[in-house]
Amino acid sequence: MLEVDREQVLAYRIAAHGLHREETDPAAAAVFDLGLQDSVRDTALLGLAARIDGDITPGVWDDERFVLAWTHRGAPHFHRRAELDAIRAALVPLDEKDAMARVLWQRKQVEDAGMSATDALFTAAKAIREVVTGVQTKGTVSGAITKLIPDGLSYACRGCGVVHIYEQLMRVASIHAGVRLEPGATPATLAPLEQRGRLKTKPDAKAATRVVEGYLRINGPATPGDTATYVGTTRTGVDAMWPEDLVEVRIDGKKAFLPKDRVPSLENPPEPDVVRLLPPLDPFVQARDRAVLVPDKARQKEVWKILGSPGALLADGEIAGVWRAKASGKKRLDLTVTPFDALRPAVRKAAEEEAARVAAAREFPDHRVTFS
């Protein structure tokens, strides 16, 4: 059995994520094998800028090869358009427990409606499919959907005086309805996929397995429990999606798993001598084994906030600090980098260069970097 320490695991993941920045084609970035989350402003954009050798600007999402949709855990992700049907198939719940896990914090509301989570999911999907026939704001769609679904699946919003479908239910149902999101739109704006196909309700364990394998490839070796948390299912549920061709690995004595064909890369990863400013919710920090990424609990609290998580400073194979950015008008972006320990001059210089890259990606003509 292969035994490795966390430093070796991080070196492997840095390479698996493409953070050595050797790829020049955005659509070829390895993170799109799973999906690139875009829950915070420019998260996906900056995650791509950290991985691609070349200029990355918001115009990258005009590329027809990409599509944005609510997918994993109901969060917005960019995917390769050609692979979206496979993602949609993977997100059909395998059973009722899986369906209930995917509605997350709104399980009680679904139960109170007297419906199974599976029925609630596809009832919502059918309504969304009927409503979204063109480009429409989320609020408009939500209000229209409530006229087509049981009362128990919606609530009266005091803030806007409109009855809305429950948020998480809408998010996890939209992909099955054949609905995408408009990149960069505020408020969130929905539109029908160009090729919707039929509403698919039949579970596809093989498709779900590919998502699990995708997670293990870039954020492995990992445990079934950590993988289930990423997928948004139960620990038992992930067993039905568990790939066959895996190898057991020990990370500092703890059991984890990795696709067999990735073992040579884990055994001999390249030196993790890169400096990157990773945005909040970057796929690298989305790994669920936070103690592997950042062993110190106090530092974990700095990286992963309950609200408003910062970006992460990656240096010499470690998450070495955090960073935040604030616009000063429309022309300058101010970045504050807070390292956990003193930075070597070379790392500090590289971080400054990465700050310039962040500002350019967000199309600010000027920027200022402060180390605190």
Side-chain angles (χ1 to χ4, degrees):
M1 184 184 302
L2 178 61
E3 295 200 19
V4 296
D5 57 25
R6 58 172 293 275
E7 288 80 8
Q8 188 170 345
V9 169
L10 293 181
Y12 164 81
R13 290 183 187 175
I14 288 168
H17 274 260
L19 288 166
H20 286 275
R21 201 179 278 152
E22 297 174 342
E23 186 58 67
T24 57
D25 180 7
V31 287
F32 286 118
D33 293 346
L34 192 59
L36 188 55
Q37 189 167 338
D38 197 43
S39 294
V40 181
R41 177 178 175 138
D42 294 326
T43 291
L45 180 74
L46 298 184
L48 198 56
R51 292 165 169 82
I52 297 299
D53 181 13
D55 295 334
I56 297 294
T57 66
V60 69
W61 305 129
D62 295 333
D63 189 327
E64 287 297 318
R65 293 179 295 174
F66 298 120
V67 62
L68 179 65
W70 282 315
T71 56
H72 305 304
R73 306 173 310 283
H77 285 74
F78 279 101
H79 295 277
R80 299 184 188 104
R81 189 180 297 271
E83 298 168 357
L84 194 62
D85 279 348
I87 294 293
R88 179 162 50 175
L91 296 176
V92 175
L94 299 186
D95 55 30
E96 177 59 17
K97 288 184 178 179
D98 185 19
M100 188 62 79
R102 292 176 187 271
V103 298
L104 295 175
W105 60 86
Q106 289 174 340
R107 300 176 192 179
K108 185 178 185 303
Q109 288 89 339
V110 170
E111 290 174 342
D112 289 347
M115 302 179 69
S116 70
T118 302
D119 286 344
L121 174 65
F122 290 114
T123 296
K126 290 175 183 176
I128 295 168
R129 189 182 183 89
E130 181 174 339
V131 168
V132 182
T133 57
V135 178
Q136 297 170 267
T137 64
K138 174 184 158 188
T140 299
V141 172
S142 180
I145 290 169
T146 59
K147 301 173 184 177
L148 304 175
I149 59 175
D151 291 342
L153 300 181
S154 59
Y155 70 101
C157 176
R158 294 180 181 179
C160 63
V162 175
V163 177
H164 291 293
I165 183 175
Y166 283 114
E167 174 76 11
Q168 180 65 8
L169 181 58
M170 181 179 183
R171 284 170 171 256
V172 296
S174 289
I175 185 63
H176 301 296
V179 167
R180 63 176 177 83
L181 295 166
E182 286 281 307
T186 303
T189 301
L190 288 72
L193 288 166
E194 288 74 9
Q195 296 180 336
R196 284 186 165 189
R198 294 184 299 107
L199 178 66
K200 298 177 182 179
T201 61
K202 184 178 180 180
D204 189 335
K206 288 185 178 180
T209 296
R210 286 193 290 271
V211 172
V212 170
E213 184 176 355
Y215 178 82
L216 293 173
R217 283 184 174 278
I218 67 170
N219 281 328
T223 67
D226 288 336
T227 307
T229 302
Y230 177 86
V231 171
T233 188
T234 63
R235 168 61 184 81
T236 302
V238 85
D239 288 341
M241 312 170 188
W242 203 239
E244 293 183 357
D245 200 17
L246 300 179
V247 172
E248 184 177 322
V249 178
R250 296 277 176 173
I251 305 174
D252 293 329
K254 296 182 179 180
K255 183 167 65 174
F257 296 89
L258 186 74
K260 185 177 180 180
D261 66 340
R262 300 299 298 165
V263 170
S265 297
L266 175 62
E267 289 179 318
N268 295 292
E271 287 295 321
D273 53 352
V274 301
V275 176
R276 300 287 182 264
L277 293 181
L278 303 179
L281 299 175
D282 185 85
F284 187 83
V285 297
Q286 285 270 27
R288 273 18 190 195
D289 51 357
R290 292 179 176 179
V292 172
L293 293 175
V294 182
D296 185 87
K297 290 185 177 180
R299 291 180 176 181
Q300 286 180 19
K301 293 179 180 179
E302 293 301 312
V303 176
W304 295 282
K305 300 280 190 181
I306 296 176
L307 293 174
S309 290
L313 168 64
L314 182 67
D316 294 334
E318 295 281 352
I319 292 181
V322 297
W323 67 277
R324 293 184 182 276
K326 183 179 180 181
S328 180
K330 295 182 178 180
K331 293 187 176 181
R332 193 181 75 199
L333 187 67
D334 292 333
L335 299 96
T336 302
V337 180
T338 306
F340 294 141
D341 298 303
L343 299 178
R344 295 185 292 109
V347 171
R348 186 184 177 106
K349 180 180 179 182
E352 291 173 343
E353 293 172 352
E354 290 301 302
R357 188 173 180 84
V358 167
R362 292 187 58 184
E363 298 186 312
F364 281 88
D366 191 16
H367 73 283
R368 182 174 63 184
V369 186
T370 303
F371 291 87
S372 63

